[in-house]
Amino acid sequence: MYRPLHDGWTLTAVSDEVDIAGIPATVPGCVHTDLLAAGLIDDPYLDDNENRLTWIGRTTWSYATSFTWHASGDGSGGDDEIDLVCDGLDTVATVVLNGAEVASTANMHRSYRFPVRHLLREGENSLQVRFGSPYSYIDERRAELGDRPGSYDEPYQFIRKMACNFGWDWGPTLVTSGIWRRIGLHSWSGARLASVRPVVTLDGRDGRVQAHVTVERAAGGRPAAPLVVTASVAGVTAEARLAPGERAAVLELSVPEPGLWWPRGYGEQPMYPLTVGLGPEAPEQDTGENRDTWTRDIGFRSLRLDRADDAFAIVVNDVPVFVKGANWIPDDCFPTRITPERLAQRLGQACEANLNLLRIWGGGLYESTEFYDRCDRLGLMVWQDFPFACAAYPEEEPFASEVEAEARDNIVRLAPHPSLVLWNGNNENVEGFADWGWREKLDGRTWGAGFYYDLLPRLVADLDPARPYWAGSPYSGAPDLPPNDPSRGTVHIWDVWNREDYLRYGEYRPRFVAEFGFQGPPAYATLRRALGDDPLTPDSPGVRHHQKAIEGNAKLLRGLGDHLPAPETFDDWHYWTQLNQARAMTFGIERFRSLAPYCMGTIMWQLNDCWPVVSWAAIDGDARRKPLWYALRRVYADRLITFQDGGVVLVNDRDAEWTGELSVTRLALTGEPLAKGAFQVTVPARGTLPVRFPATLATAGDPTSEVLTARLGEEAALRFFAEDPQVAFPEAEFDVAAEPVPGGVRVTVTARTLVRDLALFPDRLDPAAEVDDMLVTLLPGATATFLVRAPGELDPAALTRHPVLRCVNEAAR
């Protein structure tokens, strides 16, 4: 029986400098959220409040509660064993029960189980969890082991804790402490299921399950009894007998022709409950002891990593899958605020943008079970980094044992999930050692190689042999190879954001791009909620504080390059930098998709934000979709026409061929056809087809006043021959009508001239309003319809005016 201990907690600062004692605390939770609820701190996400809260991470905190316990009579006592189960302690914790120290811990990423029956008292019991300062712990470990280089000043590599708590180039420095996952008492008798680890594979068309079961027997004086372990799935059952003293069994089940689990876009996601039971050998001896049950849903699919000829391709059910992915960071600096409803919204937004994979980035967490459950059902593949990022990590004790314990814990926990397709050793640490000058700074000290090349692959091979392991990203497949080589394995591309024009993506020919991105500001309503700046400008104090990247605002302006004019107002800056972000990522993804199957995936940086910030995200910190999100939905669609190398490449990510007539027209900006071409094409299923154009189509007579269009069936694309500031755009003329409809307003725009990248920003009128499409270019005579949804009434006329309705050529420039 499990009894949660989530009630009656109080929080106290163990400090002479901080006068906070006995305030109500929420468990699961953390110090920051408790102080915020008590009105003792300002919201760290607003303005520069973050700067005034650094003391929290340098303070020792005590959580305390009391509970009643009786040896018999309430259903929770009278058992052989009672364990205190802590699913998540953040991070440097001492657990004290009735004045006796139970244990000390120092790892946010693992769970703990402590036998405590001998410490429990009849009646009232006291429980305290004291959290030491993470910074004090870090200082002690660093002094013992010697410094290690990293990408940031904060030494997060000296503690097993969510690294981005210590700030990142998109996140605040908010160093948390607290009981961040469940805590409770587990009472049991005789024996219990200590762990169940299913290895799920395919044998031809049949599903195969190896259920590795470990049993813990009570330590009492009674003789151990024979036990029976059963496993059942899809109507198939297996059984194993455990003699007295035996603690482990492997049960094998063969399921005839189950429905196969596929990534989204490739098939369905049937799931099957796998149930493992523990009981006495003789049913007539069943007294309620020795009984335990474990149930999880599993999916049948084969999985491998194709590395032939230095490729990097995820193959599911013998079908290579082109990855249309995004990197995932913790969705909040305070993970207990991430509700199931919020996860459903965020993962739904990922699916609506046509993603099929999320990479759980190594500076964050092993996510909640709810996260992986939802990915299983949505068909969203998960690439799981082990939590190491952008730093050299010590391999000495206590870290070696902690890393092994957390890896074992989470590999077993996540093994049932079919959505999990890859374990990755770290983020950018191999590259840091090879290319960022770490080797010289380390002077022979450890940096994590023993984890990435030895410990972690051994654990994955032992505990999760049906899934591939990759030592890091970027990585070329061997420790002695240049790690960020586009021609091998996985590559990260950051020269574009940091110093190059985004057209530089076109010079790359990668096998798999696991990280690349381009910044843009969040939605206007998100900035306005978070910042008190008046006026709001690109360089106002709050905007500067919510831009964490080095020279971030300067890079935003440099990134406009020749693509868009220099902004003169905040509204222009906001629209154009958001637009440029969408265009940059569209250009890169189209380039990489056009190279399939040589390139077999893109994982853009990043899907989400953890707070209101100028960043690389497609969904901002208030859950609003930036223009980039709409661009991702288009560029990750199953079928795509992309202009490449004097023609187009047709990309078909469906199981059926794509056939028809490709119609190509070179037009004057006025809409007058200048040249036409038609090509009969057949694009193979899950394939690409390049189509080269004759010079009459591919070359403009006047690059400043012409546009090229291509259409195949319902898919269309257009390309200008010059950058926007050089194009002789007419001043945009269009007819616009806005009419109320159930749930919102329908806005219809009919172009009388060419209209470039039409966008609606209804959050400027109502923070809860959103639009169904964005960044639509209309040729003369074309019509676009937008549906704006809002919980309240919107002024239809306001939706038709600047700065809510925008386009690039709203005035001749």
Side-chain angles (χ1 to χ4, degrees):
M1 174 180 175
Y2 180 80
R3 175 187 175 183
L5 298 175
H6 293 166
D7 298 329
W9 289 89
T10 60
L11 175 67
T12 296
V14 185
S15 169
D16 294 333
E17 289 77 32
V18 180
D19 184 18
I20 295 174
I23 69 167
T26 298
V27 171
C30 75
V31 172
H32 287 77
T33 51
D34 289 332
L35 296 177
L36 191 60
L40 296 176
I41 62 172
D42 293 325
D43 189 335
Y45 288 4
L46 304 184
D47 297 309
D48 64 349
N49 293 340
E50 164 205 357
N51 291 344
R52 289 174 287 281
L53 302 178
T54 57
W55 57 273
I56 297 174
R58 300 185 182 278
T59 302
T60 295
W61 297 93
S62 175
Y63 280 81
T65 191
S66 62
F67 61 93
T68 58
W69 179 82
H70 298 287
S72 60
D74 68 349
S76 65
D79 295 286
D80 291 339
E81 303 287 345
I82 301 177
D83 296 336
L84 178 65
V85 180
C86 307
D87 286 347
L89 300 175
D90 175 20
T91 293
V92 185
T94 301
V95 182
V96 178
L97 179 60
N98 293 326
E101 182 174 321
V102 175
S104 293
T105 73
N107 194 331
M108 182 183 186
H109 299 304
R110 59 175 290 200
S111 61
Y112 299 91
R113 176 181 285 266
F114 309 117
V116 296
R117 194 185 196 287
H118 62 292
L119 296 176
L120 290 169
R121 299 171 179 167
E122 185 73 20
E124 193 80 1
N125 290 258
S126 65
L127 178 62
Q128 179 189 34
V129 185
R130 180 168 170 161
F131 291 94
S133 159
Y135 282 109
S136 296
Y137 179 88
I138 285 170
D139 291 343
E140 292 173 6
R141 300 291 84 77
R142 184 164 53 175
E144 292 171 3
L145 302 174
D147 204 4
R148 300 293 197 283
S151 297
Y152 298 94
D153 293 336
E154 297 272 352
Y156 54 81
Q157 64 268 50
F158 290 95
I159 189 170
R160 295 308 298 153
K161 177 175 171 59
M162 183 167 74
C164 59
N165 255 184
F166 295 86
W168 221 261
D169 55 6
W170 39 259
T173 302
L174 296 168
V175 180
T176 57
S177 291
I179 304 169
W180 78 285
R181 281 181 170 161
R182 292 190 318 163
I183 186 170
L185 294 175
H186 180 209
S187 306
W188 55 282
S189 295
R192 71 177 187 89
L193 293 169
S195 75
V196 178
R197 177 173 55 86
V199 177
V200 183
T201 56
L202 292 179
D203 183 5
R205 279 290 293 119
D206 294 340
R208 186 182 180 203
V209 181
Q210 284 187 328
H212 297 254
V213 180
T214 303
V215 171
E216 182 181 7
R217 293 180 183 268
R222 286 179 292 172
L227 299 171
V228 172
V229 181
T230 60
S232 61
V233 63
V236 178
T237 301
E239 182 178 291
R241 179 181 184 273
L242 291 177
E246 289 186 323
R247 296 175 179 271
V250 179
L251 291 84
E252 299 204 15
L253 303 98
S254 182
V255 178
E257 299 191 357
L260 299 185
W261 186 96
W262 290 93
R264 62 183 315 273
Y266 284 71
E268 301 300 318
Q269 294 81 38
M271 301 290 290
Y272 296 85
L274 170 65
T275 299
V276 175
L278 176 69
E281 182 179 35
E284 65 273 10
Q285 299 174 355
D286 189 356
T287 63
E289 298 181 354
N290 304 323
R291 277 191 293 172
D292 200 0
T293 302
W294 176 100
T295 300
R296 300 287 187 279
D297 286 347
I298 63 171
F300 291 96
R301 51 104 179 98
S302 67
L303 177 65
R304 61 185 171 88
L305 190 61
D306 181 3
R307 292 284 295 116
D309 192 29
D310 292 323
F312 186 94
I314 294 171
V315 182
V316 180
N317 301 329
D318 293 325
V319 176
V321 176
F322 188 92
V323 168
K324 299 181 284 191
N327 282 268
W328 172 274
I329 66 170
D331 203 52
D332 200 300
C333 297
F334 313 124
T336 54
R337 300 203 297 198
I338 303 171
T339 62
E341 294 74 22
R342 180 165 164 180
L343 267 183
Q345 179 195 35
R346 199 70 68 253
L347 297 180
Q349 289 170 321
C351 293
E352 291 163 11
N354 292 316
L355 273 67
N356 62 15
L357 179 143
L358 293 176
R359 176 190 171 201
I360 312 302
W361 166 77
L365 300 163
Y366 305 95
E367 286 290 337
S368 66
T369 298
E370 173 81 12
F371 180 96
Y372 303 96
D373 283 343
R374 288 188 179 275
C375 288
D376 290 341
R377 283 162 176 73
L378 292 169
L380 267 175
M381 296 181 290
V382 175
W383 159 324
Q384 178 70 57
D385 282 12
F386 286 98
F388 302 91
C390 302
Y393 284 77
E395 299 171 39
E396 293 83 1
E397 294 296 348
F399 298 105
S401 296
E402 286 296 341
V403 168
E404 179 168 357
E406 80 179 48
R408 287 185 178 276
D409 190 351
N410 286 284
I411 291 170
V412 172
R413 178 172 73 93
L414 301 183
H417 295 283
S419 57
L420 179 59
V421 297
L422 183 76
W423 291 103
N424 180 56
N426 70 86
N427 175 75
E428 297 187 344
N429 294 348
V430 175
E431 183 184 20
F433 181 74
D435 298 335
W436 298 351
W438 291 4
R439 192 190 310 258
E440 295 76 17
K441 295 177 182 177
L442 285 164
D443 193 25
R445 292 190 295 276
T446 57
W447 61 277
F451 298 149
Y452 317 136
Y453 301 138
D454 180 22
L455 175 64
L456 295 176
R458 280 194 290 109
L459 293 176
V460 171
D462 180 39
L463 300 175
D464 198 12
R467 282 190 183 86
Y469 171 85
W470 191 243
S473 193
Y475 186 59
S476 293
D480 58 343
L481 293 173
N484 205 23
D485 180 355
S487 66
R488 297 184 178 100
T490 60
V491 66
H492 293 189
I493 300 175
W494 283 111
D495 58 347
V496 170
W497 163 250
N498 284 312
R499 58 184 178 275
E500 302 282 352
D501 187 272
Y502 69 68
L503 298 181
R504 162 79 170 149
Y505 288 134
E507 300 175 26
Y508 277 92
R509 187 174 168 80
R511 307 311 302 266
F512 192 104
V513 190
E515 213 180 276
F516 68 116
F518 206 91
Q519 264 202 3
Y524 178 84
T526 299
L527 280 176
R528 194 68 281 174
R529 182 191 72 83
L531 307 179
D533 296 359
D534 188 17
L536 193 64
T537 74
D539 292 313
S540 57
V543 174
R544 287 200 309 270
H545 184 75
H546 288 245
Q547 165 61 275
K548 296 294 187 177
I550 296 173
E551 298 180 351
N553 275 6
K555 291 175 182 177
L556 278 175
L557 292 177
R558 177 196 55 75
L560 294 174
D562 295 328
H563 306 298
L564 288 162
E568 298 177 0
T569 67
F570 173 81
D571 289 338
D572 282 351
W573 174 84
H574 187 257
Y575 168 47
W576 287 339
T577 54
Q578 283 196 330
L579 171 59
N580 205 47
Q581 178 187 33
R583 288 187 183 178
M585 296 307 291
T586 295
F587 184 88
I589 293 172
E590 286 192 2
R591 164 65 177 173
F592 304 142
R593 288 194 72 184
S594 77
L595 297 174
Y598 180 84
C599 173
M600 279 303 289
T602 64
I603 308 180
M604 57 82 62
W605 186 270
Q606 66 215 60
L607 178 69
N608 59 323
D609 270 327
C610 62
W611 75 313
V613 64
V614 181
S615 86
W616 298 265
I619 302 165
D620 74 20
D622 282 2
R624 295 186 177 92
R625 300 175 295 180
K626 293 159 67 170
L628 171 59
W629 183 91
Y630 299 88
L632 286 179
R633 186 174 61 180
R634 290 194 188 97
V635 77
Y636 274 156
D638 289 346
R639 288 177 170 171
L640 175 70
I641 302 173
T642 172
F643 288 92
Q644 304 283 333
D645 304 325
V648 295
V649 175
L650 306 174
V651 181
N652 179 23
D653 195 17
R654 293 186 188 172
D655 286 330
E657 291 182 339
W658 188 14
T659 62
E661 182 178 272
L662 173 67
S663 174
V664 183
T665 306
R666 181 162 59 88
L667 297 166
L669 297 186
T670 57
E672 176 189 355
L674 303 175
K676 292 184 177 182
F679 308 84
Q680 289 296 322
V681 296
T682 299
V683 190
R686 307 292 180 190
T688 59
L689 179 71
V691 180
R692 298 291 174 257
F693 296 160
T696 53
L697 291 173
T699 305
D702 180 359
T704 68
S705 61
E706 298 178 16
V707 63
L708 190 62
T709 68
R711 178 176 291 276
L712 175 58
E714 296 180 354
E715 305 302 322
L718 60 82
R719 171 180 174 267
F720 289 87
F721 290 94
E723 298 293 347
D724 283 11
Q726 284 75 49
V727 175
F729 286 120
E731 183 171 345
E733 296 180 8
F734 49 82
D735 299 315
V736 57
E739 56 178 335
V741 295
V745 178
R746 180 185 297 117
V747 179
T748 304
V749 179
T750 300
R752 286 183 272 120
T753 65
L754 186 145
V755 178
R756 175 71 156 142
D757 279 319
L758 187 67
L760 268 167
F761 297 103
D763 63 285
R764 285 176 170 266
L765 304 176
D766 180 343
E770 59 181 13
V771 65
D772 66 338
D773 202 2
M774 195 177 289
L775 305 185
V776 176
T777 294
L778 298 176
L779 296 173
T783 295
T785 301
F786 304 91
L787 179 60
V788 178
R789 296 194 179 277
E793 291 188 8
L794 289 173
D795 176 8
L799 288 167
T800 69
R801 296 193 296 260
H802 185 281
V804 177
L805 183 64
R806 301 296 305 264
C807 67
V808 170
N809 57 319
E810 57 199 9
R813 296 182 182 275

